[in-house]
Amino acid sequence: MVRIHWIPLTAFLISSLTLPVLAHATLGEAPSVSSQVATKSMKTAVSSSQLYTVHEAQTGSGTVREYANASGIVFGIAWSGTRSPDLKSLLGTYAQDYTDASKAQPRVPGRRSRSVQGDRVTVQRWGHFRNIGGRAFDPALIPDGVKIEDIQ
Amino acid sequence: MLTACGKPSNGDDIPVIPLPNGMTLPTVTGINVLTMDVSTTSGNCGSGTLYINKPCVTVTVCDTSSRCTTINDILVDTGSFGLRVFKSVLGSTTPTQITVGGKNLAECVEYGDGSIQWGSVATAQVKLGGESAVTVPIQVIDPDFGDKGSTAGCTDGDTAPGTNPSTDASFNGILGVGPYVQDCGSDCVSNTDHGNYFTCSGTSCSPSTVPLASQVTNPVSALGTDNNGVILMLPNLNFGGAVSTSGYLVLGIGTRSNNTLSGVKAYPMNPSNMSFTTSYNGHDYQGFLDSGSNGLFFPNTNSALKNCSGWYCPSSTQTLSAVNQAYNSNIKGTIQFQIENFNTFWNDPNNYWVGKETGGSSSGLLNGLFDWGLSFFYGRNVAVGIEGKSSSLGTGPYWAY
């Protein structure tokens, strides 16, 4: 038998939009404190360091946090809950980059995680039923001294 | 080296052997026993799905007109809850569509790898092994059902069983035998926008609440006697791998002589996120036992564990250990495990598809999760206790091994 070693033969398109949430937290843009659809509650600057500010929103599917740098630009977004949030909305101008990268990097079966690196954005997803999480970030916008793991 | 156990078959309802399992399992029989193959070429897995460490059973699904279809290649998954089968493998069997508020119920589920399954939620009569059928909501995976919740992002779900694991589901269905009764639970009773459930008017589907009784339900929890959980029994493997292996999915824990475990320790889990604490290399992680994961996946804090396409490929086999500790308890135990060079496994001329020493890095991923996939299950009897159900091992949710 000839075996393949996870070489993608055709594209697998990951879900790129899920819940209608959080128009305020868009990667690469300034966070807006005006919460919009499907946001149950929102806290501004739930935690911050000299390097970044965190805004957090509770949605029906869990929690979404946006990480903004000193200029107020969102460089990373993290989520956790029962489903991923609406990534198309969260990723904003990065959404197409993610979609394209997803097509080029099909999933590996039997995993509970997946990392997709686009030209401008990296999207990492993980978890299992009832406990889904992930993060998205633009490496070019991450302030010096901030680790990717800080986006959580 | 490990030695063969090789106990002979001795008929119905024989006691389960103590840990650890040997290279050969005893024959276990009874109405509550399903043969569980780990294979890509034969038995309950069917043939042709190129998928490492994939445990499969066969189940029968019937409708109210007694039209039944027996379906193989059903992935046994302790990390999800409830039965999901592709509509295309149901033949003439037509489970009864569930309605909520007069509208057809649909569901979108998401796995950790980002894969999506969309389809209707319908009541079916599910037969597991020789047990009487149970009537439970299942998901009928169907990319053509409704509009796939088009505004809510399930448009890119699995479309067919298929055989290419890079692009297809690579199974006919999933039997979620994890520790919960429903796949979503109370969150979906009260929240419209949890993202799992939708109701459809015509083809237009929108987010909805759904009562517990209408949620996709772990069919084991609905059994008459053997409803408190399952035991996965797999034999040990020779170091390096195997072409295939076979064991059992045993229904019920301590409800019969053939599912009464000895020599195992129960680890209650955090009921809110299905985890216990796994301490590895100086860090604490949320650990979980997941037969639907096909290796050991954990953050790489050991420089010897090189990464090759997502799998670990150390230059020499690494013997490692971790400590699992029950939730809110001092119950703990050390697990020794080995990680071999994945390329050695993969390039073995025997065409291995089953391996105990397979693992991969989740550095930067899993955000603090330690995924004990199927590699963990070889040579063990692993029990999964369902929430709220009791056995001699305790009240679920718990794992025991």
Side-chain angles (χ1 to χ4, degrees), chain A residues 3 17 83-84 107 112 135, chain B residues 110 115 153 195 290 346 352 364:
Chain A
R3 300 192 299 171
L17 44 109
R83 280 287 313 282
S84 296
R107 64 173 169 173
R112 296 301 191 216
R135 68 168 67 92
Chain B
E110 174 181 348
S115 61
D290 183 9
W346 185 253
Y352 289 157

Side-chain angles (χ1 to χ4, degrees), chain B residues 348-371:
Chain B
D348 189 282
N350 292 311
N351 274 353
Y352 289 157
W353 286 99
V354 176
K356 187 181 179 186
E357 294 84 21
T358 53
S361 173
S362 61
S363 292
L365 298 169
L366 292 172
N367 203 31
L369 303 185
F370 194 116
D371 182 354

Side-chain angles (χ1 to χ4, degrees), chain B residues 208-231:
Chain B
S208 175
T209 58
V210 59
L212 287 178
S214 298
Q215 296 183 17
V216 172
T217 297
N218 183 342
V220 176
S221 71
L223 292 170
T225 300
D226 303 309
N227 57 29
N228 59 356
V230 296
I231 302 167

Side-chain angles (χ1 to χ4, degrees), chain A residues 1-21 37-40 58-62 65 78-87 98-99 103 105-116 122-135 137 148-152, chain B residues 40-41 50-52 77 79-81 84 108-116 150-154 156 158 164-169 180 182-185 187 191 193-196 198 272-274 286 288 290 292-294 297 309-311 342-343 345-348 351-353 360-362 364-367 369 371 387:
Chain A
M1 178 192 295
V2 175
R3 300 192 299 171
I4 58 169
H5 186 181
W6 312 139
I7 300 300
L9 298 178
T10 59
F12 175 81
L13 179 59
I14 199 168
S15 169
S16 59
L17 44 109
T18 49
L19 291 174
V21 295
V37 285
T39 302
K40 292 163 66 181
Q58 297 293 326
T59 74
S61 62
R65 295 187 183 89
W79 59 89
S80 62
T82 55
R83 280 287 313 282
S84 296
D86 180 359
L87 293 185
Y98 172 54
T99 299
K103 289 179 182 177
Q105 301 168 34
R107 64 173 169 173
V108 178
R111 294 297 179 95
R112 296 301 191 216
S113 63
R114 185 169 191 246
S115 181
V116 172
T122 297
V123 178
Q124 301 176 334
R125 306 170 76 155
W126 57 76
H128 51 71
F129 272 33
R130 295 195 185 195
N131 188 8
I132 293 285
R135 68 168 67 92
F137 55 91
I148 290 168
E149 289 73 20
D150 293 335
I151 305 168
Q152 60 179 347
Chain B
T40 59
T41 56
L50 309 180
Y51 193 145
I52 295 168
D77 183 14
S80 69
F81 325 103
R84 298 159 209 286
C108 178
V109 293
E110 174 181 348
Y111 299 86
D113 65 354
S115 61
I116 297 282
S150 59
T151 60
C154 283
D156 305 316
D158 292 336
N164 179 353
S166 292
T167 55
D168 304 318
Y180 298 124
Q182 297 91 13
D183 64 351
C184 184
D187 272 359
N191 290 327
D193 53 351
H194 46 70
N196 283 71
F198 299 78
S272 70
N273 62 13
M274 199 179 81
Q286 292 178 13
F288 60 106
D290 183 9
S293 295
N294 63 355
F297 300 110
S309 302
W311 295 97
F342 180 80
N343 292 330
F345 166 82
W346 185 253
N347 295 324
D348 189 282
N351 274 353
Y352 289 157
W353 286 99
S361 173
S362 61
L365 298 169
L366 292 172
N367 203 31
L369 303 185
D371 182 354
E387 60 177 337

Side-chain angles (χ1 to χ4, degrees), chain B residues 13 30-32 131 225-226 251-260:
Chain B
D13 275 17
I31 64 168
N32 62 323
E131 300 268 7
T225 300
D226 303 309
L251 310 174
I253 300 168
T255 55
R256 302 172 185 267
S257 62
N258 72 355
N259 62 15
T260 299

